[in-house]
Amino acid sequence: MTKSTAEAPPFEAIGIVGCGLIGCSIAAALKQRNFGGRVVGCGRAGANLEMAVARGYVDAVENDLAKAAAVCGLLVVCTPVDQIANDVLAAAIGCRPGTVITDAGSVKQSVCGEIAHKLPPGVTFIGSHPIAGSEKRGCAHARPDLFVDHVCVLTPEAGTPPEAIGRLAGFWESIGMRVVAMSAELHDRALAQTSHVPHVVAAALASLLADENRRFTAGGFHDTTRIAAGDPGLWTAILLANAKETAAALRAVGERLNEFLQVIESRDKQSLTALLRLAKQNRDAIAAGILPSDATGFE
Amino acid sequence: MTKSTAEAPPFEAIGIVGCGLIGCSIAAALKQRNFGGRVVGCGRAGANLEMAVARGYVDAVENDLAKAAAVCGLLVVCTPVDQIANDVLAAAIGCRPGTVITDAGSVKQSVCGEIAHKLPPGVTFIGSHPIAGSEKRGCAHARPDLFVDHVCVLTPEAGTPPEAIGRLAGFWESIGMRVVAMSAELHDRALAQTSHVPHVVAAALASLLADENRRFTAGGFHDTTRIAAGDPGLWTAILLANAKETAAALRAVGERLNEFLQVIESRDKQSLTALLRLAKQNRDAIAAGILPSDATGFE
């Protein structure tokens, strides 16, 4: 179901709720790709929203969520994970029938669960996770190419209208993403491994760095801990929203680190090399862009 | 004792033993900075040595270590950690009195310990660790600016002639490094935290990545695991050469990850945010280039 060529997003007006890094990058991408409809920025008055206007990412600003919802066929809620459900439900009150609402949160079960069965008739919510980001925040760091060639996961449910799924997929594809649909549960399990636990691990390393050892860090430490510079509040919300899967994946990392510890302490050269080889093989596969054969498309 | 301006290295001929990434980057840096003396490449015949000649990094090649040693006032042994001591002792046989030998290994206690009291009279070995590198290997990836503004640790011992320390410091400063002297023990403890354990952690994360989750990785996972692409053989040698300190620092990471696990499982928002804040504070200090006041110079 992945389209080979990107087309204009199938909506006349798109509302971006939360004009930070992600929201403004989406808006910037729409403008760069000559989206013909209106882009409405929505959120608290402030520097981000002002910059979104000044840079031409949005055509208009509307501080009232329900009012923004009334004029848009698609709403993309880009607020922090622990605010998404509230914002979706507040916006839904103002939506016309046929409106599609989605989000950009990196946790899906908790968000989708809080919204389920609470929407007005004719309004559809489908969870999205455009897998791209930065440790930086705010409209000032928005990039129109942030999403290009990245995967966007959709988490439709059994009763989600296929037409709405198709239109939403078309929207993300229009800004360069490869769309994959899966359950919120499988998404959260995968992302615990690929994003949430790496964040914890990077934070653990950074948190232990003695001041006097800072001068002995180089590229390796810098890269390994880069994401630890991410916003503590945003990440607290993400880790707690996906606590169960994160904890399970974190235990797996703890066990693997214990294996390393054992082979290092017992000077088991062969086993240590085997572990490092497996790691290199997996990391090289990423660098080579090797994807499983069923890499994109709906499952 | 750090010089404010780099001067020419105080040697007429410098031998580079092992012409891989580090050796060729040193040679390239000398050439770029118009070192007037000769640079002699030494090592096994092969693609690296041929490329070092073809690119003009070295003026001459000598496959026999003792013969190379005979014509150089400084030898920089850039072979893998588990070969350094052997190469230093093999070279020392050919050295003239007054020759300084150093290395570029990221572990110092084991290397220096294997060499101690085994050198001919008048030949001085001082351990060096230029803290810069790459997950890539070989002369093909050499960069003359690899060391600029990075720290180089020297590990002289009680009986090391101060004049030799000064000349060696001058050499590393001549290619742009900031020289710090400390004991091999303190070096190994610091590097376990800033380099060896981050490598293990990156490898643990990469080794656990399920093939089907590769498509759900983005910048965070890529950065956190980048160094896991490093050579398994080289890293086995490093981790085993610094096994005691690496194990101790790895235990500390395991304990910190357990703290994260506990606050996530107990949904302790405040403690989780506090841990993430500490991590961000430490990581931001690196990005801001904040160094302790005694950041460089001899201690």
Side-chain angles (χ1 to χ4, degrees):
Chain A
M1 198 157 164
T2 304
K3 293 174 186 176
S4 57
T5 53
E7 293 167 15
F11 299 96
E12 287 185 6
I14 296 175
I16 304 292
V17 182
C19 290
L21 174 84
I22 298 293
C24 280
S25 291
I26 293 172
L30 287 168
K31 289 300 174 186
Q32 191 194 50
R33 287 160 181 262
N34 301 315
F35 169 57
R38 275 162 63 83
V39 179
V40 179
C42 187
R44 277 176 310 186
N48 274 330
L49 219 48
E50 282 168 25
M51 189 178 286
V53 174
R55 294 194 173 179
Y57 297 155
V58 301
D59 302 297
V61 159
E62 174 55 68
N63 298 115
D64 186 298
L65 256 176
K67 283 187 188 164
V71 297
C72 295
L74 172 69
L75 285 176
V76 188
V77 178
C78 304
T79 50
V81 155
D82 53 353
Q83 295 174 35
I84 293 171
N86 277 347
D87 289 336
V88 168
L89 296 174
I93 296 165
C95 285
R96 294 167 301 181
T99 301
V100 175
I101 312 180
T102 191
D103 73 325
S106 72
V107 182
K108 298 268 68 83
Q109 282 180 99
S110 60
V111 168
C112 298
E114 288 173 56
I115 293 164
H117 313 300
K118 292 182 186 162
L119 295 173
V123 177
T124 302
F125 174 81
I126 303 169
S128 293
H129 179 200
I131 304 179
S134 167
E135 78 281 12
K136 292 171 183 155
R137 293 189 68 184
C139 181
H141 296 104
R143 284 171 32 203
D145 63 347
L146 186 65
F147 306 103
V148 174
D149 291 334
H150 283 252
V151 166
C152 182
V153 175
L154 304 192
T155 60
E157 287 165 29
T160 308
E163 181 266 350
I165 303 174
R167 291 174 76 206
L168 182 60
F171 160 73
W172 291 114
E173 286 165 356
S174 79
I175 60 169
M177 302 202 80
R178 296 180 287 134
V179 174
V180 176
M182 64 199 300
S183 72
E185 191 184 352
L186 286 179
H187 167 275
D188 287 2
R189 192 167 301 157
L191 267 287
Q193 183 175 74
T194 61
S195 172
H196 307 159
V197 162
H199 194 94
V200 172
V201 166
L205 285 177
S207 73
L208 287 168
L209 181 67
D211 281 353
E212 65 271 22
N213 285 347
R214 202 179 300 137
R215 57 183 163 163
F216 303 124
T217 64
F221 192 90
H222 299 171
D223 286 348
T224 311
T225 59
R226 185 183 61 82
I227 51 178
D231 183 79
L234 288 179
W235 277 95
T236 297
I238 290 168
L239 296 173
L240 294 185
N242 199 25
K244 197 182 138 209
E245 299 295 350
T246 300
L250 203 47
R251 276 185 211 285
V253 170
E255 284 162 21
R256 180 51 53 91
L257 287 177
N258 266 330
E259 285 179 60
F260 271 100
L261 185 60
Q262 279 165 28
V263 299
I264 288 170
E265 290 202 308
S266 63
R267 272 74 170 171
D268 181 348
K269 189 174 171 178
Q270 203 174 347
S271 301
L272 179 53
T273 304
L275 280 169
L276 293 173
R277 274 212 190 104
L278 172 61
K280 178 176 172 56
Q281 182 182 310
N282 284 352
R283 187 59 185 78
D284 286 347
I286 290 175
I290 299 168
L291 288 170
S293 54
D294 63 339
T296 58
F298 284 47
E299 294 171 337
Chain B
M1 199 156 163
T2 303
K3 293 175 187 174
S4 57
T5 53
E7 294 166 14
F11 298 96
E12 287 185 7
I14 296 175
I16 304 292
V17 181
C19 290
L21 175 84
I22 299 294
C24 280
S25 292
I26 292 171
L30 287 168
K31 289 300 173 186
Q32 191 193 49
R33 287 160 181 260
N34 300 316
F35 169 57
R38 275 162 62 83
V39 179
V40 179
C42 187
R44 277 176 310 185
N48 274 330
L49 219 47
E50 282 169 26
M51 190 178 284
V53 173
R55 294 193 173 178
Y57 297 155
V58 301
D59 301 299
V61 158
E62 175 55 69
N63 297 116
D64 187 298
L65 256 175
K67 283 187 189 166
V71 298
C72 295
L74 172 68
L75 285 177
V76 189
V77 177
C78 304
T79 50
V81 156
D82 54 353
Q83 295 173 35
I84 292 171
N86 277 346
D87 289 335
V88 168
L89 296 174
I93 296 166
C95 286
R96 294 168 300 182
T99 301
V100 176
I101 311 180
T102 190
D103 72 324
S106 71
V107 182
K108 299 267 67 82
Q109 282 182 99
S110 61
V111 168
C112 298
E114 288 173 56
I115 293 165
H117 312 301
K118 292 182 187 163
L119 296 173
V123 176
T124 302
F125 175 81
I126 302 168
S128 294
H129 179 200
I131 304 180
S134 166
E135 78 281 12
K136 292 169 185 156
R137 292 189 70 186
C139 181
H141 296 104
R143 284 171 31 205
D145 63 347
L146 187 64
F147 306 104
V148 174
D149 290 334
H150 283 252
V151 166
C152 182
V153 175
L154 303 193
T155 61
E157 288 165 27
T160 308
E163 179 267 348
I165 303 174
R167 293 173 74 207
L168 182 61
F171 161 73
W172 290 115
E173 286 165 356
S174 79
I175 60 170
M177 302 202 81
R178 297 181 285 133
V179 174
V180 176
M182 64 199 299
S183 72
E185 191 184 352
L186 285 179
H187 168 276
D188 286 2
R189 192 168 300 157
L191 268 288
Q193 182 175 74
T194 61
S195 170
H196 307 159
V197 162
H199 194 94
V200 172
V201 166
L205 285 176
S207 72
L208 287 167
L209 181 67
D211 281 353
E212 64 271 21
N213 285 347
R214 202 178 300 136
R215 57 183 162 162
F216 303 124
T217 64
F221 192 90
H222 299 172
D223 287 348
T224 312
T225 60
R226 184 183 61 81
I227 51 177
D231 183 79
L234 289 179
W235 278 95
T236 296
I238 290 168
L239 296 172
L240 294 185
N242 199 25
K244 198 182 137 211
E245 299 296 349
T246 300
L250 203 48
R251 277 185 212 285
V253 170
E255 284 162 21
R256 180 52 50 90
L257 288 177
N258 267 331
E259 285 179 59
F260 271 101
L261 185 60
Q262 280 166 27
V263 300
I264 289 170
E265 289 201 309
S266 64
R267 272 72 170 173
D268 181 349
K269 188 174 170 177
Q270 202 174 348
S271 301
L272 179 53
T273 304
L275 280 171
L276 293 172
R277 273 211 190 105
L278 172 61
K280 178 176 170 57
Q281 181 183 311
N282 284 352
R283 188 58 186 77
D284 286 348
I286 289 176
I290 300 168
L291 288 172
S293 53
D294 62 339
T296 58
F298 284 47
E299 292 172 339

